Amino acid sequence: MKRETQDIARSIPLTDVDYVVTDEQRYRGIFENAIEGIFQTTPDGHYLSANPALARIYGYRTAEELRTHLRDISRQLYVRPERRAEFLEVMERNGSVSNFESQVYRKDHSVIWISENAVAVRDDLGRLLYYEGFVVDVTARHEAEAVLERTRDELQQSLIELRATQQQVVQQERLRALGGMVTGVAHDFNNTLSMILGYAELLQHECHKHPAGEKFMDYAQTIITASLDAAEIVKRLREFHRPAEPGETQTPLPLNAIIDQAVAFTRPRWSAEALARGMPIEVVTEFCTIPPVRGNAVELREMLTNLIFNAIDAMPQGGTITLRTRLLGQRVELTVSDTGVGMNEEVRRRCLEPFFSTKGEHGSGLGLSMVYGIVERHEGTVEIHSEPGEGTTFVFTFASDVSAVAIETPGLVQAGRPLRILVVDDQPVQCELASHALQRDWHTVDVASNGREALQLFEQREYDLVITDKVMPEMNGDQLAVAVKSREPETRVIMLTGFGGMPNAEDQSEFIDLVLAKPTSLAELRIAIAGVMR
């Protein structure tokens, strides 16, 4: 039965059915179902018609609600009402607008971006009837562009910071390489200076016994002064970039007083000499009450001296150098300003590089590099502000120590009680010098040429103090210090080093009571012995 019904159905011919769709129905379907917002408005901003998509874009439930609510488009819809005026101006001029983007308010007062395309509809006489067009919500694109813009700005800022960091790293590496190159030379040179200084001091002492020794004492003093100056030159060369090392002594210091000392030290240059050349220079200090800063007084004075000399060179016609201090939170700010010729941007950026100088053959390019190294070791910061013809200002900040009391440099220490001392150095001349100097202070002295020989003597006798060189064959000073302290923890150990540095982690400083840089004068050795034997 089922199969028969199907066969009958197949035998019935299909007839054509005419589907009549009017233009109004066709356009109404497009109007109602379009995903873009479609509108017709009067020139003064009243909606004549709006499709459901436009209502959704503006946050309304129906097109009728939108038409009822929005009575004045320019004031109610546009975030910037002047955009509506611009829209009308373009329509008046061109008869249409394309991709006209604006920010508009939705019903809930949130803001979106829209893009409008519209034309002006006129009658046969050219009279304006209404505007019609469509609206697209382009908020997502604007948000993506904003994110892209922020990302680009962040990348640009990161690139600027990366370049600045790269320049700083390159500069630090240059300074570190220079310091490493000089270190080896400094070791050998300081050993030589130790002999010159030691024999000069012995000669000066012996001159007291000679009837006509006063003249020879002057000669000896000249040799001593020259030796100490040479040692300071070596120190400056190797300390372009030496970070503060563990165990390095940094004491609370009165920065204002150190500035006064630097001003006094440089007075002959900026006062008498400058005045004689017809270029009067005035140095002004403006101090605030500040807490002590932790650091090394000698290095800070050296830094200030270099800055003052630099300022003098930058004022060929004279001028004023001003040094100021003030407290900024937990840090102390120091500014050094001059009224000199100033620097262009390239010179300002490169002035801290080693060997960079604008003074030609008269400048070494080392002064400001040393300043930078000192600031780095004090964990400080430096900024340079300068314009050609407007002078230069260096701005430094250092960590303050509000809980500390600033201390001054200790005075001379007299020789203490007689001690039994073991002197260890692989250079016989150094042993002889130390032995003579210490015996003059009534100490009993034994000498050894290396660590193993010293350890044998130490196991046979009792010593109050061991003074050892750092670099020796067979057993170096570090290994000897460990052996001494493991046998007699109360025995004091002073290490002498020709490298001129402070002990680092590899120096095993817990076994060493004090490190002294060569060359060491008798006065410095006395102070060191008095310090460790307290």
Side-chain angles (χ1 to χ4, degrees):
M1 184 66 182
K2 183 178 181 181
R3 182 179 296 276
E4 292 175 356
T5 303
Q6 292 174 343
D7 293 340
I8 293 171
R10 290 194 191 97
S11 66
I12 298 174
L14 296 176
T15 60
D16 293 334
V17 179
D18 294 327
Y19 293 96
V20 179
V21 180
T22 65
D23 288 344
E24 181 180 354
Q25 290 174 323
R26 183 181 301 111
Y27 293 133
R28 174 57 59 180
I30 296 173
F31 185 78
E32 296 291 337
N33 298 317
I35 61 173
E36 295 89 358
I38 301 175
F39 66 87
Q40 289 179 332
T41 65
T42 63
D44 58 356
H46 291 83
Y47 277 100
L48 299 173
S49 64
N51 71 338
L54 186 66
R56 289 194 298 271
I57 289 173
Y58 291 157
Y60 295 92
R61 289 174 298 177
T62 65
E64 185 61 30
E65 183 185 7
L66 181 149
R67 291 175 57 196
T68 303
H69 184 271
L70 291 179
R71 296 292 185 181
D72 188 340
I73 295 177
S74 63
R75 294 184 179 180
Q76 292 179 270
L77 186 63
Y78 287 85
V79 174
R80 294 172 51 206
E82 61 269 22
R83 287 296 286 169
R84 177 63 180 178
E86 294 171 10
F87 175 90
L88 296 175
E89 181 182 344
V90 175
M91 289 292 291
E92 179 68 23
R93 184 173 63 250
N94 300 331
S96 65
V97 295
S98 298
N99 301 321
F100 189 86
E101 296 190 358
S102 307
Q103 285 181 294
V104 298
Y105 292 111
R106 301 181 84 236
K107 181 182 177 182
D108 61 2
H109 300 293
S110 60
V111 176
I112 62 172
W113 281 92
I114 63 168
S115 175
E116 297 179 87
N117 290 269
V119 296
V121 178
R122 301 177 183 274
D123 62 15
D124 295 337
L125 299 178
R127 291 174 298 188
L128 179 62
L129 299 178
Y130 55 86
Y131 300 135
E132 66 179 13
F134 64 89
V135 171
V136 178
D137 184 350
V138 293
T139 303
R141 176 170 61 79
H142 274 269
E143 290 177 346
E145 289 176 351
V147 171
L148 183 62
E149 183 71 19
R150 286 197 301 271
T151 303
R152 187 182 67 180
D153 291 342
E154 291 171 359
L155 289 174
Q156 185 70 22
Q157 182 61 34
S158 298
L159 181 60
I160 293 172
E161 293 174 358
L162 180 62
R163 286 173 178 169
T165 302
Q166 186 180 38
Q167 290 177 352
Q168 184 178 14
V169 169
V170 169
Q171 180 168 313
Q172 289 175 343
E173 287 303 316
R174 286 174 178 170
L175 297 173
R176 188 177 290 111
L178 179 60
M181 179 183 67
V182 173
T183 295
V185 177
H187 175 264
D188 296 336
F189 195 64
N190 282 333
N191 280 332
T192 303
L193 286 175
S194 294
M195 289 185 283
I196 296 173
L197 179 61
Y199 278 118
E201 288 186 324
L202 291 176
L203 178 62
Q204 193 176 49
H205 178 75
E206 293 298 322
C207 286
H208 286 290
K209 306 174 184 179
H210 196 281
E214 184 175 350
K215 181 178 180 180
F216 297 108
M217 285 181 61
D218 291 340
Y219 292 162
Q221 184 58 50
T222 300
I223 298 173
I224 292 171
T225 301
S227 300
L228 294 175
D229 288 347
E232 190 63 28
I233 292 172
V234 175
K235 178 183 177 183
R236 284 200 289 264
L237 282 174
R238 74 173 298 276
E239 289 190 346
F240 280 114
H241 185 77
R242 177 180 60 81
E245 298 168 348
E248 184 166 356
T249 303
Q250 288 195 336
T251 56
L253 301 172
L255 183 59
N256 290 343
I258 290 174
I259 294 172
D260 281 333
Q261 292 169 355
V263 171
F265 290 165
T266 57
R267 183 180 298 275
R269 177 90 184 273
W270 59 260
S271 180
E273 180 181 334
L275 190 61
R277 285 160 36 189
M279 42 172 283
I281 293 175
E282 181 183 11
V283 176
V284 178
T285 56
E286 299 177 2
F287 296 151
C288 290
T289 302
I290 56 174
V293 298
R294 298 199 72 83
N296 182 297
V298 174
E299 290 192 345
L300 291 177
R301 278 193 295 268
E302 185 72 23
M303 179 191 80
L304 289 163
T305 299
N306 270 283
L307 290 170
I308 293 173
F309 284 159
N310 245 47
I312 293 171
D313 292 338
M315 297 188 296
Q317 305 304 319
T320 302
I321 303 171
T322 305
L323 300 98
R324 300 184 181 91
T325 59
R326 64 169 178 161
L327 184 61
L328 289 178
Q330 297 298 313
R331 298 185 72 82
V332 171
E333 181 184 86
L334 161 67
T335 63
V336 181
S337 303
D338 65 62
T339 58
V341 296
M343 297 182 282
N344 60 34
E345 178 58 25
E346 181 185 3
V347 174
R348 186 198 66 79
R349 180 169 47 84
R350 298 188 57 195
C351 66
L352 298 179
E353 295 180 8
F355 304 118
F356 178 80
S357 175
T358 59
K359 303 175 185 177
E361 61 182 14
H362 300 292
S364 63
L366 301 180
L368 290 181
S369 296
M370 188 179 65
V371 168
Y372 180 75
I374 292 172
V375 173
E376 287 279 292
R377 286 195 295 281
H378 285 73
E379 297 181 354
T381 65
V382 56
E383 294 181 5
I384 306 172
H385 307 285
S386 186
E387 293 288 342
E390 300 295 329
T392 300
T393 297
F394 287 82
V395 182
F396 303 92
T397 68
F398 300 99
S400 64
D401 192 345
V402 294
S403 62
V405 177
I407 61 175
E408 302 296 337
T409 303
L412 293 177
V413 176
Q414 299 298 322
R417 66 178 178 84
L419 304 171
R420 189 166 190 88
I421 300 175
L422 175 59
V423 175
V424 191
D425 200 303
D426 60 331
Q427 296 189 31
V429 175
Q430 300 284 7
C431 291
E432 181 184 356
L433 282 170
S435 178
H436 285 317
L438 294 170
Q439 287 174 0
R440 282 167 45 195
D441 288 340
W442 308 104
H443 299 304
T444 301
V445 182
D446 290 331
V447 297
S449 60
N450 58 60
R452 294 194 182 279
E453 182 181 337
L455 194 56
Q456 292 174 357
L457 290 173
F458 188 81
E459 290 174 341
Q460 297 171 7
R461 304 171 190 172
E462 293 184 358
Y463 292 97
D464 302 299
L465 172 65
V466 175
I467 301 175
T468 178
D469 190 23
K470 179 179 176 66
V471 179
M472 297 182 296
E474 296 188 40
M475 177 183 285
N476 62 33
D478 298 312
Q479 296 167 330
L480 177 61
V482 174
V484 167
K485 288 290 187 178
S486 64
R487 289 165 173 77
E488 293 292 341
E490 297 302 316
T491 301
R492 301 292 187 262
V493 177
I494 294 177
M495 177 176 286
L496 300 178
T497 172
F499 289 104
M502 297 300 296
N504 54 38
E506 297 179 354
D507 284 325
Q508 305 183 51
S509 56
E510 63 268 27
F511 301 104
I512 301 168
D513 297 285
L514 185 65
V515 173
L516 289 179
K518 295 180 180 180
T520 303
S521 67
L522 178 58
E524 292 171 330
L525 190 58
R526 281 176 174 166
I527 293 173
I529 293 173
V532 300
M533 296 308 300
R534 287 176 181 171

